[in-house]
Amino acid sequence: MRAPTMRHLGDVIPLPASVRPDASADFRIPADVTVGAAPAAAAIADELAGLLRRATGFPVPRAGEGGSVRLLLDDEADGGKSPESYRLDIAADGVTLRAPTAQGLFAGVQTVRQLLPVEAAAEVVLPGGRIEDEPRFPYRGTMLDLARHFYGPADVRSFIDTIAQFKINHLHLHLTDDQGWRLEIEGWPRLTEVSGGAGTGIDGAGPGFLTAREYTDLVAYAESRFITIVPEIDMPGHVNAAQLAYPELTCDGVPVQQRTDPEVGYSSLCAGKEETYAFVEDVIRVVAALTPGPYLHIGGDEALNTTAEDYRTFLTRVLPLAGKYGKRAIGWHEMAAVDLPPTAIPQYWRIEPADDGVARAAAAGHQVIMSPADRSYLDMKYDDTSPLGLDWAGVVGVERSYDWDPADRLPGVGEESLLGVEAPLWSETLRSLADVEFMAFPRLLAIAEIGWTPRAGRDWQSFRRRLAEFGPRLAAQGVNFHRSPEIDWR
Ligand code: ACM
């Protein structure tokens, strides 16, 4: 008989690549269940043991490399497989999760987590069968805007915990903008003293900054959840906060006024001044040294007060600095107007396709991250009644977030050109983690599935049905999500 709380093997977001249920192989979790793993996977096994303990109330001790629930690291080199791939076998006598890397085991544990009931139960049964899974794209991201409103380390950690469940593996932090500078930079103390302090952010209501130590700790925490932090220092536009702190960063050296309004496109670094490049190189050097991940985002968007010639001069000098300090540059799609270093990655946020150089960059071999504003921007209102958010890219309901494909967005940028997909969340109208969560969830689950699940396996009705089950799950975690009327929430 089916236990009342038992889940179906395919009730997972993102939907796995292959799901083969076997009703004769359900695993009735026994009171003496144990979790075993090789030493290299000990931390992940501890996490799984904790999840099983919470679901069953059983002691769930760790059991060396044996155990009724086993995590195995395959050392057979399996050439073509993604490092995030895994295979999950649930049988009547136990569970075997195998993967080529710890990252793959972590992904598999997130799947197992979703197959456990929300509420602890006397009898917990995992549905039998096999899941074989790997992501469609290696980059599945979201972004927090710490500049318009600062969120401290505890909030960012909480957000990381929530997004990791859905196999989001990159968190882009927009650290600088006109209204605030949110990362301590050694040698440039006024950036955070002046532009990270009281009165900064939209309406002066989002003060704060990360010390270098806090940032380093946050990066390490994200890494423990297999999430890569992508730091963004936006330039040559969006720099009023930097110029407020250091007036020599303007062309005329005249101090600028502090800005806490949401306008964009008025500030610019001075492409013709050597001080500009000394500053930029220092910042890139420091941020690169604090960041173990491969990427450094240099912004490049909405430089409306920079001439095309200055923009080209500036980026042609600045883009190679990412490489000089060991990073691949990501930039908003505007940067594709210049000749890019071979590893640079445009991030496409446009609504309507335009001849902006992104397709040309893809043809030259550049990878692209897809973030079209009318589908993936989490700060757009859900509908006309949304209390938070903006609507310049339209209103974006859950179906609209889900029912599009990154390989269809831009002629010339198909599947093979895509590094992946990212859902940015700008915080002009957001004041708290609860606000962030309300805008991100459930839409980020749609983007997570677009980034992970094979295109042919995606279906709105299937997603809508599976998402309904996540209402109680998110609620039990204390996540503030939008109960969109598009979903028949449980
Ligand atoms: C952007 O939305 N300005 C990248």
Side-chain angles (χ1 to χ4, degrees), residues 26-217:
D26 295 344
F27 178 52
R28 204 164 295 272
I29 300 180
D32 62 355
V33 62
T34 58
V35 177
I44 298 166
D46 287 345
E47 171 171 341
L48 180 54
L51 293 169
L52 292 172
R53 215 170 281 136
R54 211 171 311 146
T56 62
F58 300 147
V60 200
R62 290 286 316 286
E65 303 201 16
S68 41
V69 175
R70 293 185 308 155
L71 273 57
L72 303 177
L73 276 169
D74 283 327
D75 37 23
E76 317 139 38
D78 195 348
K81 282 249 158 119
S82 155
E84 295 180 279
S85 66
Y86 68 91
R87 192 176 90 194
L88 174 66
D89 284 296
I90 300 176
D93 60 351
V95 174
T96 307
L97 175 61
R98 42 194 336 138
T101 65
Q103 205 181 0
L105 289 177
F106 182 81
V109 166
Q110 304 319 308
T111 298
V112 175
R113 179 175 184 179
Q114 296 185 15
L115 296 175
L116 292 167
V118 177
E119 306 270 358
E123 186 187 48
V124 175
V125 183
L126 286 171
R130 169 174 286 186
I131 287 178
E132 287 181 277
D133 206 4
E134 64 176 331
R136 176 179 175 190
F137 298 120
Y139 188 111
R140 304 172 307 281
T142 184
M143 185 204 86
L144 290 179
D145 172 7
L146 271 55
R148 272 56 172 268
H149 185 97
F150 180 70
Y151 308 96
D155 284 349
V156 180
R157 277 184 172 77
S158 174
F159 190 66
I160 285 171
D161 288 342
T162 307
I163 67 177
Q165 299 174 74
F166 305 106
K167 302 183 175 80
I168 294 289
N169 66 353
H170 288 78
L171 177 60
H172 168 183
L173 296 178
H174 183 76
L175 291 165
T176 69
D177 213 302
D178 292 315
Q179 302 85 354
W181 185 287
R182 309 304 184 187
L183 176 62
E184 178 189 23
I185 302 292
E186 188 189 357
W188 299 84
R190 290 176 55 82
L191 289 171
T192 43
E193 283 169 15
V194 172
S195 291
T200 62
I202 294 285
D203 297 336
F209 65 91
L210 297 169
T211 65
R213 179 58 197 263
E214 285 170 333
Y215 176 78
T216 302
D217 289 349

Side-chain angles (χ1 to χ4, degrees), residues 234 238 264 301-302 332 334 349 373 377 392 426:
D234 202 350
H238 293 275
V264 299
D301 59 318
E302 298 174 313
W332 299 107
E334 289 94 322
W349 62 280
Y377 269 30
W392 58 263
W426 302 95

Side-chain angles (χ1 to χ4, degrees), residues 113 155 157-166 382 433-445 467 470-483 489:
R113 179 175 184 179
D155 284 349
R157 277 184 172 77
S158 174
F159 190 66
I160 285 171
D161 288 342
T162 307
I163 67 177
Q165 299 174 74
F166 305 106
Y382 287 94
L433 178 64
D435 289 354
V436 164
E437 291 178 341
F438 182 84
M439 298 310 276
F441 307 114
R443 288 182 292 193
L444 186 54
L445 280 66
L467 181 56
F470 278 78
R473 204 162 281 268
L474 292 169
Q477 295 174 16
V479 174
N480 184 34
F481 65 99
H482 173 53
R483 289 189 171 270
W489 295 102

